[in-house]
Amino acid sequence: MSVVSRPRRLRCTSGRRSRMQKISVLLFLVWVCFLFYAGIALFTSGFLLTRLELTNHSSCQEPPGPGPLPWRSQGEPGACWMASRFSRVVLVLIDALRFDFAQPQRSHVPGEPSVSLPFLGKLGFLQRILEIQPHHARLYQSKADPPTTTMQRLKALTTGSLPTFIDAGSNFASYAIVEDNLIKQLTSAGRRVVFMGDDTWKDLFPGAFSQAFFFSSFNVRDLHTVDNGIMEHLYPTMDSGEWDVLIAHFLGVDHCGHKHGPHHPEMAKKLSQMDQVIQGIVKRLENDTLLVVIGDHGMTKSGDHGGDSELEISAALFLYSPTALFLRPPPEEPEVVPQISLVPTLALLLGLPIPFGNIGEVMAELFSAVEDSQPHSSALAQATALYLNAQQVFRFLHTYSVAAQDLQVKEFHRLNNLFSKASADYLRLLQSPQGAEAALQTVITELQEFLRGVRAMCIESWARFSLVRMAGGAALLAAACFLCLLIAQWATSPDFHLPPLLIPVTWGLAGVVVCAGLLATTELKLDPVVLGAVAAMGSVLHILWKAWAGWGSKRPLAALLPIPRPVLLLLLIRFAAFFSDSFVVAEARAIRFLLGSLILLLVAQLHWEGKLLPSKLLTIPRIGLSAPTGPSGHKGTHALGLGVGLLLCIRLAGLFHRCPEETPACHSSPWLSPLASMVGGRAKNLWYGVCVGALVALLAAVRLWLRRYGNLKSPEPPVLFVRWGLPLMVLGTAAYWALASGADEAPPRLRALVAGASVVLPRAVAGLAASGLLLLLWRPVTVLAKATMGAPRIRTVLTPFSGPPTSQADLDYVVPQIYRHMQEEIRGRLERTKSQGPLTVAAYQLGSVYSAAMVTALTLLAFPLLLLHAERISLVFLLLFLQSFLLLHLLAAGIPITTPGPFIVPWQAVSAWALMATQTFYSTGHQPVFPTIHWHAAFVGFPEGHGSSTWLPALLVGANTFASHLLFAVGCPLLLLWPFLCESQGSQKRRQPHGNEAEARVGPEEEEVEPLMEMRLRDAPHHFNVALLQLGLKYLFVLGIQILACALAASILRRHLMVWKVFAPKFIFEAMGFIVSSVGLFLGLALVMRVDGAVSSWFQQLVLAQQR
């Protein structure tokens, strides 16, 4: 409690100078983040380049190569490059139709137990056709090229080209395809193309369809809307005959995989539904129509996709025609074909030109002359199709090599010679077509070797990099890390001042303005990424040069590394681990090991500093202190208990884990799945009770903490919201979970009500959280102030001082204070003779005003973030708060309180905090790979989708993915505040610095003085602001070396086998995590400064009230 009297005037520190220091700190941190952002953008532009997309188009008027069109390509009706074999095609695209989904019941997936799996044997109609009409149908295993996301697969299935890695980021923000493609060739030929299904096609091919029925594709929790919409229009459209190509893109199987996984009984229902659809289509086919049933990709055991595992790239491809299509019956094991082989095959079967940029190989057996019994004619027809295909690919290769010049020269020349030889052999065969079966097989082999060689060369060559940009980006990241380390070390010096930090910020702002002016006023095609990087590097050169000029002559180079050696070793291990794909894959376990090791180090450090054993048992005194006083046995046991509790929490959090696909022997935690995926009703109800219990426990813990420090007694709006608003948020979250877990079991008459509540409840919880945060920003001071009249005894509330005087400096401090105290006692006796004493104002619990605001803000953030996760992740969030509480107390036990400053947060505290954020990322069921992204988060509160909006679902998915980064970054200032909060209670004596706002009068009945705790930070505003700056720079440094390590690993190992599977996704996730963390850190520091400013205003209002 602090008491303010009318006669004494308080000295407030929240003047113009203090505000200028706060602005300097925030602006400097923004500038440092800009340096990191510029480095990330520059490196990304060099590492994740897309290949050059040519806009050339094939046409019937322009043959694919020199000379006349080959055999049987002229004079035929409907002929273009080759005579058409079919006039109509029905393309049924079943999203995520994995190859084994089309297998009979007797088969099983390698590695799976030999049991009856729900998805086997459900496409029984396909098997019956293959057995009854072996020459009319064929099943293939289609291999998709990663990334296995829908948009990239659609591009490949229509252009015949290979997608690039960076296209995966635009899976839900598709753009129109500019390359030549099948849809464009069909419309150019006047064919009527009718589409129904996934609305992704609308963005890829705007205005290309004669008739279209689009349905929203983003709601992965909806299994039936798209499929039912297609079936409503499919059969009437076929019966009308007003179409030449009919495309139906079903999404139910894919959505079922995302929601339930492939082993759920719902998958069997959905596959059976697709089997009935195919059966109905076959009944309506005419002789000139080809049926193609294909999956664009597969899915993992958990139902996800996007990577390059065997289950993800393996899809089914089924072809059927009412007329005989194949000379030979199907083989025992289905043939494996690249997915892009369908593009040139369909083009030539329909009598169309092959798209210009295709690099796929035609499926030669489809061009056998079934009506001709001569093997020579069939082989010549296959060779003709392959030759046309090879001519088209060779033309594209030459055009592309001139435009891009990034193909491998040696391999390009080898393929050029191979095509020349195969072309000469084929033309020679045309001169004497009879009696050359062996020569025909040789030509077919040579052409296939050429086409497969081109595809392999393109796969390797299109992973092209800009080494200059990559090096520049890594250098800028390294400079930003060095700058954080440098300024964090400089901030500890006595002559450090904050306003000069605005000089590099001004340089950076000027550079940005100049670059923006160049982009706006000139017609030059300048890259804004490069210009931003140049502006960032130009602004940092000034401060680096100044540091280099002034550092070497005054201080040793070793002083640049103020990090303790054990912590430095841990950071180096963390840095080096990013260069090993095995460590990146196993990072979840490695993080737990590093965090546990750091906690053991913290406990050992407390022992070395005499805080676990009495001082007489220690032989090495604490550096910088004389004769440290050992703690009591109770305190030592308390610290040990904190360490053991932390290790136990780490172990419990490790139970929630998702296994990487590279570790097939590992089994993911079943607790990561939503309750809706559970089959047993009793188990579901039990888990629901546990999840609600975790919510209630989290709420109770926060309220008990606020009540312990007295902040729950305040009448301020944020405290009232904590009392009533947080229980409402818990109630809304629990109600939403109940509806989400049992939505499929709701009676039909209540489904509309359940659907409406599923929209209202999450939005209400998010709205309550936003309202609470706004109230907290408006009135962040949660204290209870009381005005009383009386004649109190005068005493000064001093900064706590522990122990008797041990030096001459302490004697010089104590004697004047005793004299001053005697003066105040005499003055107090005189004032007690008056009939009425002065007005006094008592402020309760100012000592925890900063921490109370931070804990309240973190709780308000946690509930909407928890709503985006599966229900059982509430246990992880409860562990998160408990683990953070234990770590903060353990760290506070080893951080000394120095008054009046400087205030320093040690490196081990910042490192442990960053490691805990990464550990929570894995414990919430995430992995740094695209298939494990929780897309369902985009539909929390929006079950019907978002229409054409892409930023809102991206925001929701991002909040789900990086929730731990955001929470720990916002809560980072607690590392500075908590040691003051843990100040021991009791009577205190301590030197009171100049300008202490806690000078007060207390009543005669008060013998104990409450510790100042966080009010000590206000005794030295300069050191307070510097401590915030130093904390932010240290946290950015720890995060920055992680993104720097990922960038260096990706660049050095850019030709590594696992670069696109491991290193590139890890870099992208670390970059996004850094951006989210830096924004959260800025918000957390800004909140502390807002509270500080509000406290200053509160004191000023008291002073003005007394003066009146």
Side-chain angles (χ1 to χ4, degrees):
M1 178 181 70
S2 298
V3 186
V4 183
S5 63
R6 182 187 298 272
R8 293 184 63 90
R9 179 178 179 180
L10 276 171
R11 298 181 179 180
C12 300
T13 61
S14 59
R16 182 177 301 176
R17 180 180 177 185
S18 179
R19 287 195 296 270
M20 187 63 188
Q21 288 181 345
K22 293 182 178 65
I23 293 174
S24 299
V25 169
L26 292 179
L27 288 179
F28 187 78
L29 289 176
V30 168
W31 174 68
V32 172
C33 291
F34 168 68
L35 297 180
F36 279 107
Y37 297 164
I40 291 172
L42 185 61
F43 182 87
T44 302
S45 66
F47 179 60
L48 298 179
L49 287 176
T50 58
R51 63 176 175 82
L52 179 65
E53 294 184 345
L54 302 179
T55 57
N56 306 60
H57 293 83
S58 301
S59 66
C60 292
Q61 293 74 27
E62 183 180 356
L69 289 171
W71 176 75
R72 296 186 65 176
S73 298
Q74 302 180 28
E76 298 283 345
C80 181
W81 290 1
M82 194 172 189
S84 63
R85 186 167 181 181
F86 296 98
S87 58
R88 288 184 172 184
V89 168
V90 177
L91 175 62
V92 178
L93 179 57
I94 302 177
D95 210 294
L97 183 63
R98 205 167 72 187
F99 172 68
D100 55 341
F101 290 177
Q103 292 288 84
Q105 181 67 44
R106 62 177 179 272
S107 302
H108 66 275
V109 182
E112 293 277 357
S114 299
V115 296
S116 178
L117 299 175
F119 53 79
L120 290 180
K122 297 304 179 288
L123 297 179
F125 182 71
L126 299 186
Q127 297 299 324
R128 290 196 299 272
I129 290 182
L130 290 172
E131 294 173 359
I132 298 173
Q133 297 179 297
H135 295 278
H136 295 247
R138 188 76 86 240
L139 177 65
Y140 297 94
Q141 183 177 358
S142 171
K143 290 290 186 179
D145 298 294
T148 51
T149 48
T150 297
M151 193 199 75
Q152 283 66 42
R153 295 294 87 231
L154 294 183
K155 285 185 175 181
L157 283 170
T158 54
T159 63
S161 61
L162 298 176
T164 51
F165 185 86
I166 197 171
D167 285 340
S170 57
N171 190 40
F172 297 103
S174 307
Y175 298 100
I177 296 178
V178 297
E179 290 184 290
D180 195 9
N181 56 81
L182 274 179
I183 305 300
K184 184 174 183 61
Q185 290 294 339
L186 286 167
T187 56
S188 299
R191 309 289 180 91
R192 296 166 297 177
V193 183
V194 177
F195 176 83
M196 51 191 70
D198 186 350
D199 61 351
T200 304
W201 292 72
K202 178 173 63 175
D203 298 323
L204 294 177
F205 309 101
F209 304 110
S210 60
Q211 190 177 11
F213 306 95
F214 296 113
F215 303 94
S216 177
S217 61
F218 198 63
N219 188 358
V220 294
R221 304 183 67 85
D222 183 3
L223 309 185
H224 307 294
T225 299
V226 177
D227 292 359
N228 293 341
I230 294 174
M231 289 186 291
E232 180 183 351
H233 300 283
L234 178 60
Y235 299 140
T237 302
M238 291 188 67
D239 295 337
S240 69
E242 298 178 356
W243 56 276
D244 296 307
V245 175
L246 178 59
I247 304 174
H249 188 165
F250 291 89
L251 290 174
V253 173
D254 178 68
H255 289 187
C256 183
H258 285 297
K259 185 177 182 180
H260 301 294
H263 297 84
H264 196 274
E266 195 67 33
M267 181 63 76
K269 297 179 183 178
K270 183 54 65 175
L271 290 174
S272 299
Q273 183 187 35
M274 294 297 99
D275 190 60
Q276 295 175 2
V277 170
I278 296 172
Q279 187 174 358
I281 292 175
V282 169
K283 292 179 180 178
R284 292 170 170 82
L285 290 180
E286 298 179 357
N287 291 336
D288 63 343
T289 305
L290 174 67
L291 171 63
V292 180
V293 180
I294 188 172
D296 56 344
H297 51 74
M299 64 174 65
T300 62
K301 295 178 182 179
S302 61
D304 301 313
H305 59 89
D308 61 351
S309 67
E310 182 64 25
L311 293 178
E312 290 173 279
I313 65 174
S314 178
L317 171 60
F318 176 79
L319 301 177
Y320 173 78
S321 173
T323 59
L325 194 57
F326 302 95
L327 278 175
R328 301 177 181 84
E332 293 184 3
E333 291 296 329
E335 183 183 352
V336 179
V337 297
Q339 194 178 67
I340 58 175
S341 295
L342 185 64
V343 174
T345 303
L346 284 181
L348 294 183
L349 287 176
L350 291 172
L352 299 172
I354 300 175
F356 188 89
N358 165 73
I359 58 170
E361 172 192 345
V362 293
M363 301 160 66
E365 64 175 336
L366 286 168
F367 296 90
S368 301
V370 180
E371 69 280 357
D372 194 339
S373 59
Q374 297 295 327
H376 177 82
S377 300
S378 298
L380 188 57
Q382 294 178 17
T384 300
L386 286 169
Y387 179 66
L388 284 170
N389 188 189
Q391 279 188 311
Q392 169 265 318
V393 171
F394 185 75
R395 180 183 64 178
F396 163 75
L397 213 57
H398 268 274
T399 307
Y400 185 87
S401 63
V402 173
Q405 298 180 351
D406 60 355
L407 298 177
Q408 302 175 28
V409 178
K410 184 177 180 180
E411 181 66 12
F412 179 76
H413 286 305
R414 187 188 74 83
L415 293 173
N416 194 355
N417 296 332
L418 180 61
F419 174 75
S420 299
K421 181 178 183 303
S423 180
D425 292 343
Y426 173 78
L427 293 176
R428 187 164 48 252
L429 278 173
L430 292 182
Q431 302 298 327
S432 55
Q434 299 298 327
E437 288 79 6
L440 265 176
Q441 293 302 323
T442 302
V443 169
I444 291 175
T445 302
E446 290 174 345
L447 292 172
Q448 290 176 336
E449 182 183 355
F450 166 75
L451 292 170
R452 294 167 187 174
V454 169
R455 182 172 176 271
M457 181 184 67
C458 290
I459 290 176
E460 186 173 356
S461 299
W462 284 344
R464 64 189 182 98
F465 309 98
S466 174
L467 297 182
V468 175
R469 293 193 177 205
M470 293 169 64
L476 194 51
L477 290 173
C481 290
F482 177 74
L483 182 68
C484 291
L485 190 64
L486 180 68
I487 301 300
Q489 179 66 4
W490 273 0
T492 60
S493 61
D495 56 345
F496 180 78
H497 299 287
L498 288 171
L501 295 180
L502 294 179
I503 297 177
V505 177
T506 305
W507 279 100
L509 183 61
V512 171
V513 172
V514 170
C515 294
L518 289 175
L519 288 174
T521 58
T522 63
E523 297 181 356
L524 300 176
K525 295 182 178 180
L526 302 176
D527 191 345
V529 173
V530 176
L531 290 178
V534 170
M537 185 60 74
S539 64
V540 78
L541 287 178
H542 168 76
I543 194 169
L544 291 180
W545 175 257
K546 186 177 180 181
W548 179 262
W551 189 276
S553 60
K554 298 180 181 179
R555 303 179 184 180
L557 187 61
L560 281 175
L561 292 176
I563 308 176
R565 290 184 180 179
V567 179
L568 180 61
L569 177 62
L570 183 142
L571 293 178
L572 289 176
I573 293 174
R574 178 93 172 112
F575 184 89
F578 288 103
F579 291 82
S580 169
D581 60 318
S582 300
F583 273 93
V584 173
V585 170
E587 187 182 22
R589 288 179 291 166
I591 284 293
R592 292 197 296 270
F593 171 78
L594 292 176
L595 185 57
S597 302
L598 185 55
I599 290 170
L600 293 177
L601 173 65
L602 292 173
V603 175
Q605 186 178 12
L606 291 177
H607 168 71
W608 295 333
E609 294 181 349
K611 298 183 179 180
L612 292 181
L613 293 176
S615 58
K616 63 182 181 180
L617 299 180
L618 299 177
T619 58
I620 302 177
R622 182 179 174 184
I623 297 175
L625 293 179
S626 59
T629 302
S632 64
H634 173 71
K635 292 183 178 179
T637 306
H638 176 67
L640 283 175
L642 292 175
V644 173
L646 267 172
L647 294 177
L648 180 61
C649 287
I650 294 173
R651 179 61 180 169
L652 291 176
L655 298 177
F656 294 83
H657 67 281
R658 181 187 291 271
C659 295
E661 61 187 34
E662 293 82 4
T663 56
C666 175
H667 298 284
S668 298
S669 171
W671 304 332
L672 297 175
S673 59
L675 294 180
S677 63
M678 298 185 66
V679 179
R682 179 177 299 179
K684 181 187 294 187
N685 294 335
L686 178 62
W687 270 112
Y688 175 77
V690 172
C691 296
V692 174
L695 285 180
V696 175
L698 180 58
L699 173 63
V702 172
R703 295 191 59 170
L704 286 175
W705 185 89
L706 292 173
R707 180 176 298 171
R708 179 180 183 273
Y709 287 98
N711 298 101
L712 206 59
K713 300 176 182 179
S714 172
E716 295 295 330
V719 177
L720 297 178
F721 186 88
V722 170
R723 293 178 184 174
W724 305 106
L726 283 182
L728 288 178
M729 294 172 63
V730 171
L731 183 62
T733 303
Y736 173 74
W737 284 350
L739 295 177
S741 60
D744 296 335
E745 304 169 3
R749 65 178 180 274
L750 296 180
R751 287 181 181 175
L753 180 62
V754 170
S758 299
V759 175
V760 173
L761 288 174
R763 297 184 184 184
V765 172
L768 285 173
S771 302
L773 290 172
L774 291 176
L775 288 175
L776 186 63
L777 291 175
W778 175 45
R779 302 289 292 273
V781 179
T782 55
V783 298
L784 177 62
K786 291 183 179 180
T788 59
M789 298 293 296
R793 186 183 60 172
I794 303 173
R795 197 173 74 184
T796 302
V797 180
L798 303 174
T799 302
F801 177 78
S802 301
T806 58
S807 63
Q808 183 63 36
D810 288 335
L811 290 173
D812 294 341
Y813 149 71
V814 171
V815 173
Q817 293 299 316
I818 294 175
Y819 178 73
R820 182 181 177 186
H821 181 74
M822 294 172 61
Q823 285 183 320
E824 292 176 343
E825 287 289 340
I826 296 173
R827 190 185 307 117
R829 292 194 186 104
L830 294 176
E831 291 183 355
R832 279 197 296 272
T833 61
K834 299 180 181 180
S835 59
Q836 187 177 16
L839 174 68
T840 59
V841 178
Y844 294 90
Q845 301 305 331
L846 269 172
S848 59
V849 63
Y850 298 104
S851 299
M854 292 300 303
V855 171
T856 303
L858 289 173
T859 307
L860 293 174
L861 276 176
F863 277 101
L865 291 176
L866 176 57
L867 205 60
L868 299 175
H869 291 78
E871 296 89 347
R872 286 176 280 191
I873 299 298
S874 58
L875 298 174
V876 178
F877 272 66
L878 182 61
L879 281 174
L880 181 154
F881 274 78
L882 177 60
Q883 196 172 346
S884 303
F885 174 81
L886 295 175
L887 179 62
L888 287 170
H889 274 275
L890 184 62
L891 294 171
I895 299 178
I897 299 177
T898 57
T899 303
F903 312 118
I904 299 176
V905 178
W907 282 99
Q908 53 266 35
V910 179
S911 302
W913 199 252
L915 288 176
M916 197 178 294
T918 305
Q919 179 225 356
T920 308
F921 169 80
Y922 287 103
S923 297
T924 49
H926 295 96
Q927 286 282 337
V929 288
F930 294 108
T932 60
I933 294 178
H934 299 172
W935 301 113
H936 64 82
F939 307 100
V940 176
F942 300 89
E944 300 300 327
H946 302 267
S948 60
S949 174
T950 57
W951 67 268
L952 183 56
L955 180 64
L956 294 175
V957 173
N960 170 278
T961 305
F962 301 104
S964 62
H965 296 75
L966 181 62
L967 288 174
F968 278 94
V970 172
C972 193
L974 291 175
L975 296 174
L976 173 64
L977 303 173
W978 212 265
F980 297 92
L981 190 70
C982 295
E983 183 180 340
S984 61
Q985 305 287 330
S987 179
Q988 305 288 343
K989 295 180 181 180
R990 172 71 80 160
R991 172 172 47 242
Q992 184 169 348
H994 177 72
N996 192 350
E997 292 174 346
E999 290 184 356
R1001 295 175 182 265
V1002 298
E1005 73 281 1
E1006 291 182 336
E1007 299 296 333
E1008 298 292 333
V1009 178
E1010 181 182 345
L1012 296 181
M1013 295 192 291
E1014 293 175 356
M1015 283 296 98
R1016 296 185 185 279
L1017 294 167
R1018 292 191 51 79
D1019 291 344
H1022 170 73
H1023 290 303
F1024 186 20
N1025 292 322
V1026 170
L1028 291 176
L1029 172 66
Q1030 192 181 44
L1031 174 62
L1033 291 175
K1034 287 182 177 180
Y1035 197 69
L1036 289 176
F1037 172 80
V1038 174
L1039 298 178
I1041 61 171
Q1042 296 180 181
I1043 186 62
L1044 175 62
C1046 288
L1048 292 177
S1051 58
I1052 295 173
L1053 304 174
R1054 61 187 180 276
R1055 295 298 179 186
H1056 192 276
L1057 179 65
M1058 305 295 286
V1059 62
W1060 301 119
K1061 187 178 183 63
V1062 175
F1063 296 111
K1066 180 60 178 174
F1067 167 75
I1068 292 176
F1069 274 80
E1070 282 292 336
M1072 294 302 300
F1074 178 88
I1075 293 173
V1076 173
S1077 298
S1078 60
V1079 173
L1081 177 66
F1082 179 85
L1083 295 177
L1085 295 177
L1087 177 60
V1088 173
M1089 294 180 180
R1090 171 71 183 100
V1091 176
D1092 188 58
V1095 171
S1096 298
S1097 301
W1098 185 82
F1099 275 112
Q1100 289 176 359
Q1101 292 173 4
L1102 292 182
V1103 172
L1104 293 176
Q1106 290 186 12
Q1107 289 176 350
R1108 289 195 295 266

